[in-house]
Amino acid sequence: NSIEEQKSFIETPLAFSKIEAAPWDIHNRPYCAIIGNPLTGKTALAKDLAKELGIVKVSLRETIEEVLKLENELGQRVRDVLGNGYALEESLAVEIICWRIEQHDVVEHGCVLDGFPKTLQQAMLLAEFNKLPNPIFYLDSEPTSVLKRRGQKFKHDKKSLNSQIKQSTKNNNEILSWIQNTFDTARYLSTDHSK
């Protein structure tokens, strides 16, 4: 920052490019998401990523549980909606996730969103609030792998699961198409060779 350093930079700018130091004002905190159909291993991968990278795993369900304990306006709105037997509106679900990613542990370490966003509207709202994860990993799996996981670990009704997979596939395709065409930040991973 001194006059001498400025003159030296002007005379030999390439000498300064060899300095191996990250800029002091850049904080690279991982902020990604994992989406996919039911039983593709989203949560398992999110847990592994969180452990490996030292980041926070954030899921909507767990965050709702945290928000329900809050004595503030957001907590009260969520209690009112759920207490009356209603589903969360897309905008409230995004607001809950935005609240969570603004908490100290996530700001400090970064996070992976587990199974969120679930719809195109949620993805677009995250982008509107400048909170869209980058990248978004899509876990792709063959239906036979999903049915195998279902039989080994879960007790989902086959008809209900097929319905969930069909809706999830439609939602994921909408999200991925929009993200690829708008931001080019979707990444595809196959789960067929995972446990």
Side-chain angles (χ1 to χ4, degrees):
N1 291 339
S2 71
I3 299 295
E4 292 82 28
E5 288 175 328
Q6 291 175 8
K7 286 180 183 177
S8 177
F9 176 75
I10 291 170
E11 292 170 5
T12 56
L14 291 179
F16 287 83
S17 69
K18 295 176 184 168
I19 297 172
E20 293 189 26
W24 65 271
D25 60 341
I26 293 187
H27 303 285
N28 290 330
R29 306 289 189 267
Y31 177 48
C32 61
I34 300 171
I35 64 172
N37 290 335
L39 303 178
T40 55
K42 298 178 298 292
T43 298
L45 180 57
K47 285 178 182 177
D48 289 347
L49 271 175
K51 183 178 178 182
E52 185 71 26
L53 299 177
I55 61 178
V56 180
K57 180 184 84 65
V58 174
S59 76
L60 180 60
R61 183 179 31 93
E62 292 167 354
T63 303
I64 289 170
E65 291 172 9
E66 290 180 54
V67 168
L68 287 170
K69 297 174 188 173
L70 297 176
E71 293 298 326
N72 64 12
E73 187 262 340
L74 177 60
Q76 188 58 52
R77 284 183 23 232
V78 173
R79 282 189 293 279
D80 289 346
V81 168
L82 297 179
N84 288 320
Y86 298 112
L88 292 178
E89 293 180 7
E90 305 276 11
S91 59
L92 186 53
V94 170
E95 188 176 345
I96 290 167
I97 289 295
C98 287
W99 169 84
R100 183 63 183 97
I101 62 178
E102 291 170 355
Q103 300 307 300
H104 176 74
D105 59 340
V106 173
V107 171
E108 181 73 19
H109 302 287
C111 75
V112 54
L113 299 183
D114 177 14
F116 197 89
K118 290 187 180 298
T119 67
L120 177 58
Q121 185 178 2
Q122 290 173 350
M124 294 174 86
L125 285 168
L126 284 171
E128 185 178 315
F129 295 128
N130 199 28
K131 304 285 187 193
L132 189 66
N134 178 9
I136 292 182
F137 295 105
Y138 173 67
L139 292 186
D140 190 17
S141 185
E142 291 295 320
T144 53
S145 298
V146 171
L147 292 175
K148 182 179 174 187
R149 275 182 59 91
R150 174 193 164 265
Q152 291 174 345
K153 191 173 181 181
F154 302 97
K155 302 297 180 204
H156 288 71
D157 170 74
K158 190 173 180 179
K159 184 177 177 183
S160 172
L161 180 60
N162 285 336
S163 174
Q164 290 176 21
I165 290 172
K166 185 176 179 180
Q167 183 61 48
S168 179
T169 299
K170 177 185 174 296
N171 290 347
N172 287 326
N173 287 338
E174 289 175 350
I175 293 168
L176 294 166
S177 176
W178 177 73
I179 288 184
Q180 272 311 99
N181 291 328
T182 308
F183 302 101
D184 191 28
T185 59
R187 303 295 177 256
Y188 297 79
L189 304 172
S190 173
T191 63
D192 292 332
H193 302 289
S194 68
K195 50 183 168 167

